[in-house]
Amino acid sequence: MNGALKAAWGLTAFVVLVGLIGWIATGEAFFAVFIVLGVLTAVGAVVTGRSVRKENDSR
């Protein structure tokens, strides 16, 4: 796992955590946007991770 992929997973965890805490603390459904953005970031990290592995494959 390279540095950019680690940063993407860290950002994902942070954004989802902020969304959950904000939603629980305030009760505002607006914080669901943060959760959706975190999930989209996770999907991007997975796609990026797959493309990096294919590039580094020596076969």
Side-chain angles (χ1 to χ4, degrees):
M1 188 183 295
N2 63 21
L5 193 54
K6 286 180 185 177
W9 282 114
L11 178 62
T12 297
F14 175 75
V15 170
V16 170
L17 187 63
V18 166
L20 285 173
I21 290 172
W23 199 355
I24 291 168
T26 66
E28 295 288 328
F30 167 76
F31 286 100
V33 173
F34 285 85
I35 297 168
V36 171
L37 289 175
V39 169
L40 290 175
T41 305
V43 169
V46 168
V47 171
T48 301
R50 288 183 180 167
S51 66
V52 168
R53 274 188 246 129
K54 286 179 184 175
E55 281 180 11
N56 292 337
D57 194 6
S58 61
R59 293 183 214 182

